[in-house]
Amino acid sequence: MLPISPRFYGFCPDRIVIDMVKQVHPEGRHVDLAVNPLYSGLVPAGGVPRYRLAPGPMAPDSAAALVRDEIMLDSNARLNLATFCTTWMEPQAKELIADSLDRNLVDHDQYAQTAELETRCVNMLANLWNDQGTNGVGCSTGGSSEATMLAGLAMKFNWRARRRAQGLPADRPNLVMPSAVHTCWPKFCRYWDVEPRYVPIREPGFTVDPSEVASLCDENTIGAVAILGSSALGIYDPVAEMASALDRLQAERGVDVPLHVDAAVGGFIAPFLEPDLVWDFRVPRVLSINTSGHKFGLVYPGIGWIVWRDKKALPKELIFDCELLGGSVPTFTLNFSRSGAPVVAQYYAFLRLGFEGYRAVQQACRDVASYLAEQIAQMPALEVISNGAHLPVVALRMRPDTTVTVFDIHDRMRKHGWQIPVYHLPDALDDVVVMRMVIRNGFSRDTADILLNALRAELAELFPAPMAKADKPAMPTPRRRGPVYH
Ligand SMILES: *Cc1c(COP(=O)(O)O)cnc(C)c1O
């Protein structure tokens, strides 16, 4: 029994609790906390209103418990192999995030040091992507989608300025990109009135032919996009070869098309696992690069990054000076206010892991992906088409001689709790249906074995091995059910 003075009721915001307490103790002096009030009939039978505000307040613990009960129903993110997003961080990172949730990133006057951390992160990324001493410029964003909007806008403004300076029309911009681009690119095109031109990805490489990229470009092309690697299959586009094809285009037809690399995931893989792969600012034609801090940058959502090769790449009209919050703060983002917590968390991850730490984490993911791919390649009817050699992603399809589909396998794996997405590839390959698994930090080889066992069990049901008559046991063999104690 916990004494509560009658005066307390005046402050207690939870009407439901007050009513109960008054019923049980009309004089209102004691409340029995031995029974959790939330689950013992205190919430009205009809529950709390869901789609309108409740008429009054509720005690913070009750509200928090109710919210927790709702989000508990979200599935287990660690079993979700669809997303590239970070689903595990260290407790120290969680603490820092909680400590800095109130920081408004745009308010450089108040949170000058958080702004400084953002600048340091941009510099670290520019350096990681071999900025050739040009001192890349950039900023954090809500994710790669916002980053690509900014990259696309910069390309559009640069192109328009060039056209106008030549006295040429600038009203029909287009963007050339692989058909495997993430939705954020068609979105950019629709939102900012740019014609999308898709270069089909093809077998056997499941990527674009660089000469096809160049052939779709003309004087109205604001830029071309290369993906490192595709969200659908985790396969890298041949960035350097695409740049060479665009170099030839410029030499032959005088059309100068900048290249943007959408390295949403690969921006945090290739520098650590393939330092010799030339895809970044070492390629002179690469103007800008985006990445998602909240994917293999190993930070919880939502944070992305955009870095331009140098100041010249970023049109001045896109930068606004805001004096509203004190000082003069140049901003180039779609949103104004945003929490500084993800930037703090990104800085923590950089500091905590360093180059070798990131390398080890990404290598572990790739190793597990390769292991999964090897094991799956030995299973009946499945064909591995992406084996973790680029992003730590395993993608597979059914061999042509079976009626079982990847949708069947998806449904069966769902029963085990696994979420493994299944989809059609774009355009020229739209008759190919794939199932794809993203291996993220926190997915160990043990977890992979659990998944493989579930998959083997389901495949054994879908493809029962034909048994020769002589092999069949005449009588069912008695099964031991564990130790027997007498
Ligand atoms: C995830 C992804 C995006 C979008 O990134 P968000 O951070 O989720 O906005 C863009 N491009 C590629 C290649 C991606 O994998």
Side-chain angles (χ1 to χ4, degrees):
M1 295 298 236
L2 199 94
I4 291 189
S5 86
R7 223 162 62 83
F8 177 77
Y9 296 129
F11 297 99
C12 175
D14 196 333
R15 293 279 149 211
I16 303 167
V17 175
I18 295 167
D19 288 344
M20 190 267 193
V21 169
K22 280 187 178 157
Q23 272 172 25
V24 179
H25 301 287
E27 73 283 29
R29 218 171 294 133
H30 295 96
V31 56
D32 187 354
L33 292 181
V35 178
N36 186 327
L38 190 68
Y39 300 118
S40 44
L42 276 181
V43 171
V48 288
R50 287 190 186 151
Y51 302 109
R52 58 186 167 75
L53 278 179
M58 182 185 283
D61 283 346
S62 313
L66 285 173
V67 174
R68 271 209 191 91
D69 285 0
E70 297 282 350
I71 57 179
M72 169 186 79
L73 297 172
D74 285 340
S75 51
N76 180 347
R78 301 281 290 279
L79 297 179
N80 175 0
L81 301 185
T83 184
F84 284 95
C85 282
T86 300
T87 45
W88 183 83
M89 278 188 92
E90 291 164 327
Q92 290 87 341
K94 282 188 172 178
E95 235 170 72
L96 272 173
I97 291 171
D99 288 350
S100 48
L101 270 174
D102 58 336
R103 267 143 228 276
N104 185 2
L105 192 61
V106 82
D107 192 345
H108 289 199
D109 215 37
Q110 166 78 44
Y111 304 111
Q113 212 50 32
T114 306
E116 162 67 15
L117 297 189
E118 181 182 20
T119 305
R120 288 185 201 172
C121 290
V122 169
N123 284 304
M124 287 178 185
L125 286 172
N127 178 262
L128 190 64
W129 298 334
N130 298 293
D131 70 348
Q132 311 294 298
T134 51
N135 265 335
V137 292
C139 56
S140 71
T141 58
S144 274
S145 300
E146 186 186 358
T148 58
M149 298 286 150
L150 301 182
L153 277 174
M155 291 194 282
K156 184 177 174 185
F157 274 62
N158 284 336
W159 165 83
R160 194 163 61 190
R162 268 199 323 270
R163 296 284 290 172
R164 284 187 179 150
Q166 297 169 317
L168 295 168
D171 54 347
R172 307 200 51 190
N174 70 66
L175 181 71
V176 173
M177 54 195 147
S179 57
V181 282
H182 186 272
T183 332
C184 63
W185 290 103
K187 212 180 207 180
F188 162 78
C189 289
R190 191 159 319 156
Y191 289 1
W192 309 101
D193 247 337
V194 171
E195 176 205 340
R197 291 190 180 169
Y198 299 107
V199 188
I201 60 164
R202 297 186 197 283
E203 292 204 51
F206 293 96
T207 175
V208 290
D209 171 352
S211 63
E212 252 184 288
V213 175
S215 67
L216 275 184
C217 295
D218 57 26
E219 69 282 1
N220 285 321
T221 304
I222 63 170
V225 176
I227 321 167
L228 199 86
S230 60
S231 336
L233 294 174
I235 290 175
Y236 295 165
D237 279 335
V239 183
E241 289 79 359
M242 288 166 78
S244 303
L246 294 173
D247 289 346
R248 280 195 298 280
L249 174 76
Q250 185 173 8
E252 288 162 14
R253 297 188 14 222
V255 177
D256 183 7
V257 176
L259 191 57
H260 171 86
V261 184
D262 179 352
V265 184
F268 276 108
I269 299 286
F272 302 109
L273 301 189
E274 291 108 12
D276 295 331
L277 180 72
V278 177
W279 65 273
D280 50 20
F281 292 122
R282 282 170 288 181
V283 181
R285 194 166 285 278
V286 170
L287 185 79
S288 45
I289 300 172
N290 70 275
T291 199
S292 292
H294 57 212
K295 292 185 177 174
F296 281 68
L298 307 178
V299 176
Y300 286 137
I303 186 164
W305 298 94
I306 172 74
V307 180
W308 286 271
R309 164 179 292 280
D310 52 33
K311 262 208 190 93
K312 287 198 307 267
L314 187 54
K316 288 192 189 60
E317 310 98 282
L318 289 175
I319 300 168
F320 286 79
D321 251 335
C322 176
E323 296 179 347
L324 200 64
L325 299 170
S328 168
V329 178
T331 81
F332 177 28
T333 50
L334 298 185
N335 218 67
F336 190 65
S337 308
R338 186 154 57 85
S339 169
V343 168
V344 171
Q346 183 77 75
Y347 188 71
Y348 166 79
F350 283 166
L351 206 59
R352 155 88 175 103
L353 293 172
F355 187 93
E356 178 50 29
Y358 268 96
R359 196 205 57 74
V361 169
Q362 317 302 34
Q363 183 67 52
C365 292
R366 179 173 282 174
D367 290 346
V368 173
S370 310
Y371 170 67
L372 266 182
E374 273 164 28
Q375 296 295 313
I376 290 172
Q378 295 165 21
M379 294 182 186
L382 301 181
E383 179 190 347
V384 172
I385 56 179
S386 178
N387 63 1
H390 292 172
L391 301 186
V393 162
V394 180
L396 51 96
R397 65 175 160 191
M398 303 309 295
R399 296 215 181 100
D401 51 1
T402 170
T403 52
V404 173
T405 68
V406 277
F407 293 100
D408 300 327
I409 299 181
H410 162 92
D411 293 348
R412 284 169 170 260
M413 291 302 281
R414 190 78 210 213
K415 283 188 309 185
H416 297 265
W418 295 101
Q419 266 173 280
I420 312 178
V422 171
Y423 43 79
H424 291 261
L425 292 183
D427 283 2
L429 293 178
D430 62 359
D431 56 335
V432 182
V433 196
V434 301
M435 184 159 137
R436 183 211 60 179
M437 304 167 210
V438 176
I439 307 308
R440 300 187 303 274
N441 188 22
F443 189 101
S444 65
R445 193 166 158 137
D446 282 350
T447 322
D449 280 326
I450 296 171
L451 180 139
L452 285 167
N453 285 340
L455 189 57
R456 281 191 196 103
E458 292 304 333
L459 288 171
E461 276 186 23
L462 283 166
F463 302 98
M467 259 196 268
K469 225 179 178 175
D471 293 345
K472 280 192 187 158
M475 296 255 295
T477 333
R479 280 257 213 90
R480 260 192 85 182
R481 294 232 173 95
V484 182
Y485 301 102
H486 294 285

